[in-house]
Amino acid sequence: DTEVTQTPKHLVMGMTNKKSLKCEQHMGHRAMYWYKQKAKKPPELMFVYSYEKLSINESVPSRFSPECPNSSLLNLHLHALQPEDSALYLCASSQEASGGTGELFFGEGSRLTVL
Amino acid sequence: KQEVTQIPAALSVPEGENLVLNCSFTDSAIYNLQWFRQDPGKGLTSLLLIQSSQREQTSGRLNASLDKSSGRSTLYIAASQPGDSATYLCAVMYYTGNQFYFGTGTSLTVIP
């Protein structure tokens, strides 16, 4: 199973709402990532979790709050977002570079629209 | 900051042509380089992964090469088909940690 599953596929929210994006993988990967992608641009790294600990935070605004409840799950909690946060949010996972190939696997993404 | 660039930004070819996409990176101390395909509004699909010790990888009509000394990788697509139309991205991972640096992408259109 080389799947990364993201839910929901589409999300529309107002600026005062609180919502969450979810990501799951069962490949035994210990590194998990959140990326944000705007149209016609490459993915931008937001957060990296390594062994369930936040290892990289690319100066993301606090209205985005990541959580890694266990080695298979990654959440992104959203609160008080702005219309410019509308984008495709991609989850990915990989083996640790120290112990494996480091190959990166992506989910299909969650399309977020902030009204 | 590590820079990864892809040239050309867009490419349009007739069906059946062989083509080459380019990826350049500034630091040669890479751990691996990965090529992805992305269809509009979708996630990224891994095409080929080249480890730093390898020179090339092949999968079907795709061949990716790696030249660390010159900071370049190429993705060769043989006998292109309309279904190959997509954006192609390369990503470089360095030994310094679990961080991937993405190229700017090449948008490919194969005309029937």
Side-chain angles (χ1 to χ4, degrees):
Chain A
D1 181 7
T2 56
E3 267 197 2
V4 177
T5 304
Q6 289 188 243
T7 55
K9 289 187 171 20
H10 300 275
L11 179 63
V12 179
M13 60 186 290
M15 289 190 284
T16 58
N17 291 157
K18 283 186 183 180
K19 297 285 185 184
S20 297
L21 305 180
K22 297 184 183 303
C23 175
E24 189 169 6
Q25 58 89 13
H26 294 288
M27 293 177 276
H29 292 168
R30 303 313 295 268
M32 295 187 76
Y33 310 75
W34 280 115
Y35 286 87
K36 173 183 177 180
Q37 188 179 30
K38 293 282 218 179
K40 300 190 185 303
K41 297 288 188 182
E44 297 175 35
L45 183 65
M46 300 176 71
F47 303 104
V48 181
Y49 273 83
S50 178
Y51 289 90
E52 297 143 61
K53 286 186 169 38
L54 184 64
S55 61
I56 297 176
N57 176 341
E58 291 286 359
S59 303
V60 178
S62 59
R63 56 186 184 267
F64 295 92
S65 175
E67 179 196 19
C68 190
N70 60 53
S71 59
S72 300
L73 293 174
L74 186 65
N75 298 321
L76 186 63
H77 302 298
L78 314 171
H79 175 54
L81 295 192
Q82 305 295 313
E84 59 265 28
D85 296 322
S86 298
L88 182 68
Y89 288 83
L90 294 162
C91 175
S93 70
S94 73
Q95 292 175 318
E96 285 285 314
S98 59
T101 65
E103 186 172 4
L104 193 61
F105 293 87
F106 278 89
E108 283 293 310
S110 293
R111 171 70 61 188
L112 173 67
T113 302
V114 182
L115 301 175
Chain B
K1 183 180 175 177
Q2 307 289 2
E3 288 195 8
V4 182
T5 54
Q6 291 184 245
I7 295 173
L11 181 63
S12 185
V13 300
E15 181 177 0
E17 270 204 8
N18 302 325
L19 58 101
V20 174
L21 307 181
N22 298 291
C23 173
S24 299
F25 44 93
T26 52
D27 187 341
S28 62
I30 70 170
Y31 184 79
N32 67 36
L33 185 144
Q34 198 167 350
W35 282 95
F36 294 90
R37 167 191 173 130
Q38 187 174 32
D39 293 295
K42 301 288 189 182
L44 280 69
T45 300
S46 179
L47 297 174
L48 288 165
L49 172 75
I50 310 179
Q51 300 288 342
S52 63
S53 58
Q54 297 172 324
R55 293 298 300 264
E56 65 178 314
Q57 283 285 344
T58 298
S59 176
R61 294 183 293 110
L62 306 179
N63 176 277
S65 67
L66 176 64
D67 183 345
K68 290 190 297 180
S69 61
S70 66
R72 288 185 185 175
S73 175
T74 61
L75 179 66
Y76 175 83
I77 303 177
S80 58
Q81 301 170 359
D84 295 330
S85 298
T87 296
Y88 291 80
L89 292 142
C90 65
V92 177
M93 184 184 193
Y94 290 94
Y95 283 95
T96 48
N98 292 319
Q99 191 159 359
F100 293 80
Y101 295 87
F102 277 87
T104 44
T106 295
S107 177
L108 173 66
T109 302
V110 180
I111 303 164

